[in-house]
Amino acid sequence: MATLARLSRRILPRTLSNLRLVRAFSAKAAQSAEQPAPPATTIRESADRVKWDYRGQRKIIPLGQWAPKIAVDAYVAPNVVLAGQVVVYDGASVWNGAVLRGDLNKITVGFCSNVQERCVIHAAWSSPTGLPAETSIERFVTIGAYTLLRSCTIEPECIIGQHSILMEGSLVETHSILEAGSVVPPGRRIPSGELWAGNPAKFVRTLTHEETLEIPKLAVAINDLSKSYFSEFLPYSTVYLEVEKMKSSLGISI
Amino acid sequence: MGSLGRAVYTLGLWIRETGQAMDRLGCRLQGNYYFQEQLSRHRTLMNLFDKTPVVDKDAFVAPSASVIGDVQVGRGSSIWYGCVLRGDVNSISVGSGTNIQDNALVHVAKSNLSGKVLPTIIGDNVTIGHSAVIHGCTIEDEAFVGMGATLLDGVVVEKNAMVAAGALVRQNTRVPFGEVWTGNPAKFLRKLTDEEIAFISQSATNYINLAKVHAAENAKSFDEIEFEKVLRKKFARRDEEYDSMIGVVRETPSELVLPDNILPDKAQKAVQ
C-alpha cells in the first residue's frame, strides 16, 4: 500500500499536492471532532517558504546595526547561534548547540569563561531589580550544559551547574557555586563564596578557600580543551566548493 | 568582457585549480583524520511520508529548528533557534501568535497507558520558554510555560495559567485558570495577578514583533548579507552625538534600521 502510494506520488505530484491539502482539512476536521473548541484559524501556506536552506543556520546573525562580535581566540562551535548584541571575549568558549540571543539587550561572555552545550542565554527588556537588564558573564565563569540564563549578572569566578535556570535580575557574586539543577528566582542575589542548590535555590554551605581556588582552574582547563577544538577548524570552510559543484551540476551559472 | 579580462579570468582559474590541488594534497597528508565538510543537510521542514508540516506564511521558523511530520503552525507564531517539533506519531497544532523559544522540544505520544490518544495542541498567544519539553499536552490560549519546564503526557495547562521555570508537571495534571505551578513535581504556588496575566499577552505580542525581525534577517540571501556587512562597516564607529556636535547629519541606511516595534514602549503599535 505504502509503496503504491509512494509510486503514485512520484508519478502524480500535482494530484498528491491536492490530496495533501484535502488531508490537511480532514485532519483539522478530525481534530475539531475530538476537541470541542479548536482555534478557528486558517493557515495560509506560502510556496516560497524554504524547507531546506543549503547554508544551514548562520552562526552570526546581525540585527540592524548590532553585529555579534567574537574575539579572535574565542572558540564558538559551528552550530551555535549568536544573534544581535553578543560579545564573546578572548579565550571564551561557546559549545555546541548553545543559543545566545541578544536581541533585546546585551550579552557578554567574558575572558576565559565558557558556555557549555545547549545553553540558552537571552536578555529581557528590564529586570525587576535595579541591575542592568543585560546578561553579563564575567571572567573565569563556567556555565554548565543545558543552563538557561536570562538577564542575570554573573561575577568573576563562578560555577553554574548543569541544567540550572537563572531568571531575570539575579546576581551571582564572585567565587560562588550553583549546584546542578538549581533554579534562581527573579532578583535573587547569591552572595560571594557560597554554595547554593535546589529549586528554588537555597543556601547549602560556604565554600572553603581551596574550593574557591579550584574555580578558575576549572575554567582554564575548559579553555585548554577549547583550544584543541579551535585548532581543528580552519578559518574558512571549503563548503563553497561543494556549493559550486552542486550549482554547476544543476546547471546554475555562478 | 575584454580580452584582458578574459586572460585574467583564465589566470585566476589556473591559480584556483592549483589551490584546490594543494588543498587535496593537504587532505591526503592528513590521512584518516581528515574531515571533509558537507553541505548542510538539515531540513527545517520535513515530512514523514504523507505527514506534512503546514506552516503559515507569517510564521517564523528558524533555520536551525526542525519541524517534522504532522505539525500545523498558525499565523504570527514563531519557532526559535534549535527547536524541535516532532509530530511523527500524532499531530501537533500550534495556534496563532504563539512563540516556542530556543531549544524547546515539542513531541507527541502515540497513546498513553490508558490508551488515550494524545496530540499536542498549543493555543493562541502562548509563550513557551527556552528549553521547555512539551510531551503530548494541551496548552490553552495565553498560557505561559516557563524556561526549562517539562510537561509530561496529558497535561492540560488552562487559559492564563503559568508553569514556572524549571517545573516538572507530572502526567495528566490540570493546571487551572490563572494559577502558577512550580517545583518538581509541580505544585500550586499562588494565583496570578492581573498584571502578570497582562504581561503574558504582552510577551506574546513582543515575540510576534521580534520574530518578524529575525525572520527578515534569516531569510536574507548571500548578496544581501555581504552588502549589509559592508554598510555596517562603513557606518560603524560613528557616534551620533559627536556627529551632531560637529554639525554633520548622517543617515543610517534603511537596511540597518530595525523596525522600532521591538522596542518595549512601541511594542503596542504592532498589535494585530
Side-chain angles (χ1 to χ4, degrees), chain A residues 25 122-123 141 152 162-163 194 228:
Chain A
F25 282 121
H122 193 209
V141 175
C152 55
Q162 296 170 9
H163 263 290
E194 291 185 358
S228 68

Side-chain angles (χ1 to χ4, degrees), chain A residues 102-115:
Chain A
D103 43 13
L104 304 177
N105 236 315
K106 269 188 280 188
I107 291 173
T108 53
V109 181
F111 175 75
C112 231
S113 299
N114 56 80
V115 175

Side-chain angles (χ1 to χ4, degrees), chain A residues 44 49 52 58 101 103 125, chain B residues 57 59 102 214 217 262:
Chain A
R44 293 162 303 151
R49 180 176 285 282
W52 169 63
R58 273 192 286 157
R101 188 145 62 80
D103 43 13
W125 275 122
Chain B
K57 67 177 166 50
D102 320 66
H214 278 265
E217 181 57 43
I262 69 162

Side-chain angles (χ1 to χ4, degrees), chain A residues 172-235:
Chain A
V172 182
E173 290 190 353
T174 48
H175 301 299
S176 46
I177 297 181
L178 277 172
E179 286 265 324
S182 43
V183 176
V184 180
R188 176 64 54 89
R189 167 176 158 269
I190 311 259
S192 79
E194 291 185 358
L195 175 77
W196 287 57
N199 174 9
K202 285 193 176 65
F203 172 72
V204 178
R205 62 185 169 87
T206 49
L207 293 173
T208 59
H209 187 59
E210 289 74 42
E211 282 172 318
T212 55
L213 286 179
E214 285 296 314
I215 295 172
K217 281 182 194 160
L218 176 65
V220 171
I222 291 166
N223 181 32
D224 285 345
L225 184 63
S226 80
K227 275 177 190 156
S228 68
Y229 276 78
F230 185 82
S231 62
E232 201 57 35
F233 289 96
L234 295 172

Side-chain angles (χ1 to χ4, degrees), chain A residues 1-2 5-6 9 20 23-24 27-28 31 34-35 39 41-46 49-58 60-67 81 83-84 97-99 101 103-104 118-122 125 146-150 165-168 183 199-200 232 234 236-246, chain B residues 16 20 23 36-45 47 49-64 70 72-75 80-82 91 93 96 101-103 117 119 121 124 130-131 147-148 165-167 182-184 206-207 210 213-214 217-222 225 232 235 252 256 258 262-264:
Chain A
M1 187 61 211
R6 216 162 272 153
R9 178 165 65 160
R20 193 195 57 189
R23 212 197 121 270
K28 215 177 274 174
Q31 223 175 61
E34 282 167 22
Q35 285 289 316
T41 48
T42 51
I43 296 174
R44 293 162 303 151
E45 272 189 285
S46 87
R49 180 176 285 282
V50 185
K51 292 195 174 183
W52 169 63
D53 190 345
Y54 69 89
R55 303 172 294 182
Q57 171 76 56
R58 273 192 286 157
I60 293 173
I61 294 169
L63 297 172
Q65 282 178 314
W66 307 325
V81 180
V99 178
R101 188 145 62 80
D103 43 13
L104 304 177
R118 287 212 154 252
C119 281
V120 178
I121 301 183
H122 193 209
W125 275 122
Y146 291 93
T147 300
L148 308 170
L149 304 179
R150 189 173 161 88
I165 299 169
L166 278 80
M167 309 263 280
E168 289 96 329
V183 176
N199 174 9
E232 201 57 35
L234 295 172
Y236 293 96
S237 84
T238 51
V239 181
Y240 71 95
L241 295 172
E242 293 282 313
V243 176
E244 286 179 2
K245 223 182 278 175
M246 183 184 75
Chain B
R16 279 191 69 184
Q20 284 177 18
D23 184 53
Q36 189 181 17
E37 280 179 86
Q38 300 281 319
L39 272 181
S40 170
R41 310 232 325 134
H42 172 80
R43 281 196 260 174
T44 309
L45 303 177
N47 46 354
F49 182 44
D50 60 340
K51 293 173 175 172
T52 318
V54 180
V55 178
D56 192 273
K57 67 177 166 50
D58 292 332
F60 165 56
V61 180
S64 61
D70 197 354
Q72 290 165 21
V73 180
R75 178 157 175 264
W80 292 85
Y81 306 103
S91 71
S93 79
S96 60
Q101 293 171 22
D102 320 66
N103 282 353
V117 285
I121 296 162
D124 300 343
H130 314 283
S131 292
M147 291 190 284
T182 184
N184 176 9
N206 288 346
Y207 260 93
L210 206 53
V213 176
H214 278 265
E217 181 57 43
N218 277 298
K220 275 172 185 158
S221 71
F222 186 70
I225 294 167
R232 209 170 282 121
F235 286 85
T252 324
L256 296 186
L258 284 179
I262 69 162
L263 297 173

